[in-house]
Amino acid sequence: MPLIYSALKNKYTNDTVRNGTRALLIESLISTNDEHTVANLKGVFDDKSNADLVRASVLSYITDIDKNSYDWYFNSLFTNKPLQLENYWPVFSPLRDSLSYSAEHIDELVGLLDVNVYRDDVLSVLSNMIDTEDKTRYTTLIQGHKQPISAKALDDLDLFLKEYGTDNQKEAALKLYSYLNILPTLDLPELTDEFTNKLLAVDSISYVHRLCMIARIKTGLVLDKEKLNSQLDSLYSRYDLMKAFNEVGNLKAVPLKYRKHEEFAKLLLYNYVAEDYDYPESIQLIGTAKETSGTYYVLGFSYTEEGVKKEYVGVVGPFDNQADELKFESYDSFTNYEPKKEDWQSQSKELIAELNKIK
């Protein structure tokens, strides 16, 4: 350890790259450290002659090394002028890792929105709060700061539209995803309407249209039927829209053909294998398997691998066929990626048994 601390005091030509000597040494201290580690890292940060990337590494990892260093970390982030970095995401990792700490210091956190280079990451922390199990608690805090959170929303959107198609597009786009998640929580329908309409008007950025539609659903805004049908027709975007309608108690706004159990099962398996492997080229209903717990839908899906189309089998359930409603969190999807057999009935029974073992 003394050798490492000595090495941390030296300056290296690769101090300006993410995998530089001192950056890697600081990261290694997560798994190997002693009672002197924190003091040495604070010394590295406090020495302003050190490269900003090295000082940023201290902020990124010190709370992984010592959970009691959160106050020092946050105070250092809040009181020092921003470091010159290409990417601030690692610097804000401690706040994403401890959303409860972020919530306790939400006044100071929201204040960092005024720092342009920090706004992406502050918004990402706030967005993460909305997506946790403590959503209700965090939502109340966020709603109490709606004015500063939303103050730059349209300016940031206009900057994105201005820089769309340039090298700066990616950086400008990062804020959009967080805003589209946060705005419905703020209960600002007029702002959400203007924000989403500006994006929906640009056909070439269809990749954010799904998020715009979700934001409008959650805010209770009027939906363009053509755009809505286009999003629902796509297996890629359908689940998220259906989930949004379900969250606001308006699932019946989704056409019945998509609410049928077999169609919903197809959608669930499509997303399951996409998350686990990749989106399938095709997916279709093969049949059903009856169990005491309910009905499982058996589906076939395919990929082209090394120029050969290969078909597999998956199961989704159990569904209660005596009830029409969909229970979004009650169904399991599973496949073991074994090729489809002629006796798919027996194969599906084996898959269900395997699924029940790992549940």
Side-chain angles (χ1 to χ4, degrees):
M1 298 306 298
L3 291 173
I4 292 176
Y5 300 144
S6 178
L8 287 176
K9 294 177 182 177
N10 297 327
K11 293 179 172 58
Y12 301 85
T13 57
N14 61 7
D15 278 346
T16 57
V17 296
R18 290 183 61 186
N19 60 347
T21 301
R22 286 201 286 176
L24 293 177
L25 282 175
I26 292 169
E27 184 177 5
S28 74
L29 291 171
I30 295 174
S31 58
T32 306
N33 53 70
D34 62 19
E35 66 274 18
H36 304 295
T37 301
V38 170
N40 276 275
L41 289 180
K42 289 179 179 179
V44 172
F45 180 83
D46 290 338
D47 182 356
K48 295 183 180 180
S49 69
N50 282 323
D52 281 3
L53 196 59
V54 172
R55 298 177 70 209
S57 295
V58 174
L59 292 178
S60 300
Y61 299 121
I62 196 167
T63 57
D64 288 324
I65 296 166
D66 175 32
K67 298 300 182 185
N68 294 321
S69 292
Y70 259 95
D71 285 343
W72 177 88
Y73 154 81
F74 193 66
N75 184 64
S76 299
L77 181 67
F78 192 76
T79 59
N80 284 272
K81 68 178 184 180
L83 301 172
Q84 299 298 307
L85 305 171
E86 291 185 5
N87 182 5
Y88 292 86
W89 181 267
V91 171
F92 280 80
S93 292
L95 294 177
R96 286 189 297 271
D97 291 341
S98 182
L99 294 176
S100 60
Y101 186 90
S102 299
E104 291 171 6
H105 298 80
I106 193 165
D107 291 340
E108 296 90 342
L109 178 63
V110 169
L112 291 177
L113 287 167
D114 289 333
V115 183
N116 287 336
V117 295
Y118 286 165
R119 193 149 59 247
D120 287 347
D121 295 289
V122 175
L123 289 169
S124 77
V125 174
L126 297 172
S127 182
N128 284 3
M129 287 183 181
I130 294 171
D131 292 332
T132 66
E133 293 181 358
D134 287 333
K135 174 180 179 178
T136 302
R137 171 194 166 201
Y138 293 147
T139 295
T140 301
L141 289 173
I142 290 171
Q143 287 175 338
H145 296 78
K146 65 171 63 179
Q147 195 284 324
I149 292 173
S150 63
K152 301 282 187 179
L154 290 176
D155 289 341
D156 288 335
L157 173 58
D158 289 341
L159 177 62
F160 166 78
L161 294 174
K162 178 182 178 181
E163 296 187 338
Y164 181 68
T166 71
D167 291 340
N168 295 327
Q169 172 188 330
K170 183 177 180 181
E171 180 179 346
L174 292 175
K175 300 183 186 73
L176 297 186
Y177 301 108
S178 295
Y179 276 128
L180 289 170
N181 194 33
I182 294 170
L183 284 176
T185 299
L186 298 181
D187 191 24
L188 295 170
E190 291 184 3
L191 174 60
T192 305
D193 186 40
E194 183 177 358
F195 194 97
T196 54
N197 275 333
K198 281 189 172 184
L199 289 168
L200 289 169
V202 185
D203 292 337
S204 58
I205 52 175
S206 58
Y207 60 89
V208 297
H209 287 182
R210 170 179 59 90
L211 300 178
C212 290
M213 298 298 287
I214 291 169
R216 295 183 71 84
I217 291 168
K218 291 181 177 180
T219 311
L221 297 171
V222 175
L223 303 172
D224 182 285
K225 289 186 178 181
E226 183 177 346
K227 285 184 169 61
L228 176 61
N229 290 335
S230 175
Q231 293 288 325
L232 287 172
D233 282 343
S234 168
L235 285 173
Y236 175 76
S237 55
R238 186 187 307 162
Y239 178 83
D240 290 335
L241 267 69
M242 290 182 69
K243 183 179 179 182
F245 276 119
N246 187 61
E247 287 178 358
V248 299
N250 192 26
L251 188 58
K252 289 188 177 180
V254 177
L256 178 60
K257 62 180 179 179
Y258 299 131
R259 290 185 278 122
K260 291 182 178 179
H261 287 179
E262 58 268 29
E263 280 300 315
F264 195 62
K266 181 194 298 183
L267 181 61
L268 292 178
L269 188 69
Y270 179 85
N271 286 325
Y272 171 82
V273 296
E275 184 175 345
D276 188 49
Y277 179 49
D278 197 1
Y279 289 105
E281 294 175 4
S282 64
I283 185 167
Q284 61 283 322
L285 179 68
I286 297 176
T288 59
K290 304 289 186 179
E291 298 287 323
T292 55
S293 57
T295 298
Y296 285 81
Y297 289 93
V298 186
L299 300 121
F301 60 97
S302 66
Y303 297 99
T304 298
E305 299 167 336
E306 297 179 351
V308 178
K309 184 176 181 180
K310 297 183 179 180
E311 297 188 4
Y312 304 95
V313 173
V315 293
V316 181
F319 285 80
D320 178 5
N321 285 343
Q322 302 305 313
D324 293 333
E325 74 268 20
L326 294 175
K327 300 177 181 179
F328 274 68
E329 307 301 328
S330 300
Y331 313 118
D332 294 303
S333 303
F334 182 71
T335 181
N336 56 12
Y337 296 100
E338 290 187 2
K340 178 185 173 184
K341 300 176 182 178
E342 286 190 23
D343 183 8
W344 59 264
Q345 293 91 341
S346 297
Q347 187 177 9
S348 65
K349 295 286 186 181
E350 293 171 0
L351 285 172
I352 294 169
E354 193 174 343
L355 168 61
N356 288 331
K357 285 182 180 179
I358 62 176
K359 283 174 62 175

